[in-house]
Each structure stands twice: as structure tokens, then as C-alpha cells.
Amino acid sequence: MASSGPVEIFRNLSLRRAQEERLVSSENPFLVEALRKEKLEGQRIAAWARTIALVASGVLIAFQNANWSMLYFHGLLLVFIGLGWAQLRFATVGRSRVELALILADLVLLAVALTVPNPFASESFPTAMIFRFETFPYFFIILALATLAYSWRTILSMGSALVLIWAVAVLGVALFGKTDPELGAKVASAFAGMPALRGIVDPNSVVWSIRAQEMLIFFLVAAILALRGQRSNALLLRQADIAAERANLSRYFPPSMVDELATARSDVGAVRSQDVAVLFADIVGFTQLAERETPETVMQLLRRCHGVIEHAIFSNGGTLDKYLGDGVMATFGTPRISPTDCANALAAARDIVQGMADANTELAAAGLPTLSISVGVHFGPAILGNIGTERRLEFATLGDTVNVASRLEAATRTLGCRIVASDAVVSRIGEAGGGHGVPDGFRRVPALSLRGREAPIDVWVA
């Protein structure tokens, strides 16, 4: 049998709660930061809104009852304002016993204020008459303010707690409140023929039917607000996931491309073939360096080198495809093709070499070993798309162009240079009209043979 509407709603709320707890327990930094900011901002707004609302309530009380005994209620209003700022003081993300105690104090104190007669009032009347003043809506102010700062679970808990607290308060009035039998007898006599109306106007009656209606309506409103809060929280979780995804994108793509990819309608991971410029950069002699230096020094040098390479790639519009131990593979023209891809790749190669030279000055000054970097760049068709399984997908660039770029980087050792760029790269720069032409400082080396490849290619070295 299909579950009923309310049952299904609360089942979904429970599932959402479990999902949120799993996400928070996973220590997603974006989620934790989003929840922290939302909670503190909401709590701050709630504290000010509560103060303004309660001050307005104090003015209303003074206007409706202009006598000194009303100072008792003004004192209670000050206590409520203090509780609001205390909740801001102890606001935190996640469960907090102090916050829960302060919320419970709100509800209990308000229930006492609305059911216990003013001890300084000069008039004496049956305690149950206090319900005729229609003060219950003040609970809705507390509930509305809570929606600004607390989770849907807390709102739902407040609705449940208030039902219990108000039932106990009304029962206390019914059992221990002051009564006036003589006045009750007069009302009974006056409404002898109307028993239903007599029960409502009887000054000694708490009118349980109306009190039950108050509790039911409050709980339903709290449940509706909790459902609305749950939906807002789901949106917040989705936004946190988007922030995490954008941060992951920023690890591989330049900032200018992250926004484009984040809003792309097409599947950037779809398998396709397109022309790209591929760059490989590698530390020369890293194996020997790793043998003689401490692990801490090796990692320090590696991070410094990677920082130089990353900056050069991103500042020239490239994509950081992957780290290869002491080397890096980058592409220019993924996922979007540009006429300046080859010019950008060659500019990145120059920046890597120059950046590493500047870094070596700093490393030498710090008494650390210097590093020698080599770069290979090639342009041509490549296969792009997601590889792997559903458990772990990776966007990859594959094909002969990638292999040639790697071989060109290795050829820097035999050619005694820092950069080797294929003729395909240099020719593309001229065709695109990028203003680079034959790059300054490069010389042409014809018919270079590469390991594992039959046909030699012309290259440019610097």
C-alpha cells in the first residue's frame, strides 16, 4: 500500500537528515563553510529582529495597559531579548546542547509568562481568564525568528516541544489555577440553555478545545516551516557541491575557463577528436636528486617547481592535464579550441624556463639545490574524453600527438636545450596570425628522429 502524504513527507525529511549528516561528517570544507556562514548570518539577523519585535511588543503592552504593573511583562521582554543574544553568542554548526537549552528556555519562559498571572496586578480574576487575552500568537514570533537561524530539524523539534509545554501549562492552570465559583454559577445560569456557549464563556474553564486547536495549528505551522527549511537546506547543499566542483575545476583549468565549464550545456567529457597543443615539462636529473636529498627537501623542491609550471600554464590559458611525478602534462585547446593555442603553449614553455631560472636564484640563496627543467611542445589531433569506470572517471587527452610531445621533451637531453617545439607548433603560430612568426631565440633542427616513431619531424629548439 502506498504511504500517505504526511508519512511520505516525514520519511523524506528523515532521508534528507541522514544525507546531510553524511555530508557534514565527510568534512566537506565547502559545505561546512557554507553552513557556518548561513547559520551565523541568520542568527545575527534573528537576534536583531527579535530585539526589534520585542521592543515593539513592549510598546504595544504599554499602550493597551497603561499601568505600573505592566513593568512585570517589560522585565520578561528584556529576559527574552537577552536569550536571543545569548543564542547568537553560542551559535555553532551542528548539535549544541547550550543552544537547545536556550531554545527550550524561550518556550518554557513564554509559556509561564502567558499562563501565570501578573503578581503585581491589582485586579483578581480566575486564572483561566488569562487565555481570553489571546496571547498565544507570541509563540509564532519565536517560531518565525527561529526559521532565520535554525535547521528544519530544530524547527520541527520546537513544534513538538511546544505542544508538550503548552499542554502542561494549560493542565497546570486547570488543576491549580484560581477559580471563582460564584461567577461561574452566574455564567452557568445565564447560559443554561446554551451548554456549548457556556463552556466557552465560563471564566473558570481553560476551554480545552481551543487550547488543542492552538497546539495543533502551531505544530502544523512548524512542520510546514520545517519542510520549507529542508528544501532551502537542500539548495544550500547543492550550492556547496557546485562550489566543490568549481574548486576541482580550478585545479586543472585557468580561472577564466572555470566559469565557462561550470555553465556548459554540453558534456565536456564526451569522447571526441580535435587539434590540441600538448606540453610536457620535466625536471632533468630528478632521480639522482631524490637519491641524495632528504624527502622533505625533495618535496619542497617539487612543490616549488610545480608552482612555477602551474602559474605558467594557467596564465597562458592552458589546462593542467596531470602531474607525472616530477613532470607535468598540459594541453592548450581543451576543452575549447582557440586560434592562439600554439602561441599560448610556446609562451607557457618560455615562462616555465624563465620562471624556473628565477626560482633557482631563490633556491640557491636558501642553500637548496637548483633545478633544471626541460619542455616539449607538439600540436596535432588528439582523442579527448572521460576514461575509467563509474567509480572513478578522469578527463584524458590521448593519441600520437601526446606521445610525440613526450618524446620531444626527452629529446632536450640529446639536443642540449631547454625547449623543443615541433614545426607543427611554429607553423600554426604563423598561420593563425598570432604575431609570433618564427619564435625569437629558437633555431630549426630538421628531420629529428624520435624513439618509437618511424617518420622524423622538424623541430625548433631553444
Side-chain angles (χ1 to χ4, degrees):
M1 181 182 295
S3 59
S4 62
V7 172
E8 185 66 19
I9 288 174
F10 284 107
R11 187 179 72 84
N12 291 336
L13 288 177
S14 298
L15 292 174
R16 171 57 61 180
R17 175 178 181 176
Q19 179 184 2
E20 292 171 4
E21 289 178 345
R22 285 196 301 270
L23 287 171
V24 173
S25 64
S26 68
E27 297 183 356
N28 182 332
F30 303 98
L31 175 60
V32 173
E33 180 63 14
L35 290 174
R36 187 189 69 82
K37 288 183 177 180
E38 193 274 339
K39 173 66 179 291
L40 293 181
E41 181 63 21
Q43 193 72 66
R44 190 175 296 108
I45 295 173
W48 280 108
R50 169 194 283 247
T51 301
I52 294 171
L54 293 178
V55 168
S57 299
V59 173
L60 180 63
I61 290 173
F63 176 76
Q64 291 177 330
N65 303 277
N67 60 74
W68 291 105
S69 66
M70 291 297 104
L71 291 177
Y72 166 73
F73 293 108
H74 287 94
L76 290 176
L77 291 178
L78 291 176
V79 174
F80 280 117
I81 291 175
L83 284 173
W85 289 103
Q87 290 171 15
L88 174 61
R89 167 65 178 81
F90 293 100
T92 184
V93 176
R95 293 186 178 90
S96 170
R97 292 184 179 180
V98 175
E99 278 191 301
L100 291 176
L102 291 171
I103 294 172
L104 188 61
D106 259 345
L107 299 177
V108 172
L109 182 60
L110 186 55
V112 171
L114 299 184
T115 55
V116 176
N118 183 350
F120 302 104
S122 57
E123 292 182 90
S124 178
F125 50 80
T127 306
M129 282 292 294
I130 202 168
F131 295 114
R132 307 306 193 273
F133 299 145
E134 300 296 337
T135 52
F136 187 83
Y138 282 103
F139 278 112
F140 288 100
I141 296 178
I142 300 296
L143 182 64
L145 292 171
T147 62
L148 295 174
Y150 296 115
S151 69
W152 61 267
R153 297 188 299 273
T154 302
I155 300 301
L156 194 60
S157 298
M158 287 180 65
S160 303
L162 190 277
V163 169
L164 179 60
I165 292 171
W166 193 239
V168 171
V170 174
L171 183 61
V173 171
L175 295 178
F176 306 107
K178 179 183 177 181
T179 60
D180 188 333
E182 183 178 349
L183 183 58
K186 291 180 180 179
V187 171
S189 176
F191 294 89
M194 295 176 284
L197 184 59
R198 182 177 70 236
I200 294 176
V201 299
D202 183 0
N204 298 312
S205 173
V206 298
V207 193
W208 277 104
S209 60
I210 296 179
R211 306 289 80 80
Q213 176 180 277
E214 291 171 342
M215 290 183 282
L216 177 61
I217 292 176
F218 187 89
F219 180 79
L220 290 177
V221 171
I224 293 171
L225 292 175
L227 182 59
R228 179 67 183 88
Q230 180 270 327
R231 295 185 62 198
S232 298
N233 215 34
L235 176 61
L236 182 64
L237 293 174
R238 287 195 295 270
Q239 292 300 319
D241 286 340
I242 291 173
E245 291 170 359
R246 291 174 71 92
N248 287 333
L249 285 175
S250 68
R251 295 169 54 196
Y252 304 101
F253 300 101
S256 60
M257 194 175 292
V258 170
D259 292 335
E260 180 183 352
L261 292 174
T263 56
R265 299 293 183 184
S266 59
D267 182 10
V268 296
V271 177
R272 61 194 182 279
S273 176
Q274 68 184 53
D275 289 339
V276 298
V278 181
L279 179 151
F280 275 84
D282 190 61
I283 301 175
V284 179
F286 182 78
T287 302
Q288 293 77 13
L289 178 71
E291 288 179 354
R292 65 174 182 267
E293 299 295 337
T294 64
E296 292 77 13
T297 300
V298 171
M299 291 303 297
Q300 182 180 357
L301 295 172
L302 197 56
R303 291 192 183 102
R304 186 69 179 91
C305 180
H306 284 169
V308 170
I309 297 174
E310 177 187 302
H311 176 74
I313 292 169
F314 285 170
S315 62
N316 287 284
T319 297
L320 181 58
D321 188 280
K322 60 175 65 70
Y323 288 107
L324 303 166
D326 58 315
V328 169
M329 172 183 167
T331 56
F332 295 78
T334 57
R336 300 288 181 260
I337 299 174
S338 168
T340 60
D341 288 335
C342 287
N344 291 338
L346 202 58
R350 289 177 178 272
D351 290 346
I352 289 171
V353 173
Q354 183 58 51
M356 205 61 243
D358 296 338
N360 280 334
T361 302
E362 300 175 6
L363 293 174
L368 295 171
T370 57
L371 301 175
S372 178
I373 199 82
S374 61
V375 184
V377 186
H378 185 45
F379 176 77
I383 301 171
L384 281 67
N386 288 332
I387 60 173
T389 64
E390 292 183 357
R391 297 185 63 181
R392 188 181 188 279
L393 286 176
E394 179 179 330
F395 184 81
T397 304
L398 310 168
D400 181 64
T401 299
V402 176
N403 297 333
V404 171
S406 177
R407 299 289 189 271
L408 292 178
E409 182 278 319
T412 58
R413 278 73 162 175
T414 58
L415 295 173
C417 60
R418 289 286 171 264
I419 303 173
V420 177
S422 68
D423 190 63
V425 172
V426 176
S427 299
R428 180 70 174 179
I429 293 175
E431 292 173 5
H436 294 271
V438 176
D440 295 335
F442 280 76
R443 61 182 176 87
R444 188 168 182 269
V445 176
L448 175 67
S449 297
L450 299 176
R451 180 174 58 85
R453 203 169 192 270
E454 294 182 2
I457 64 172
D458 297 339
V459 299
W460 296 77
V461 301

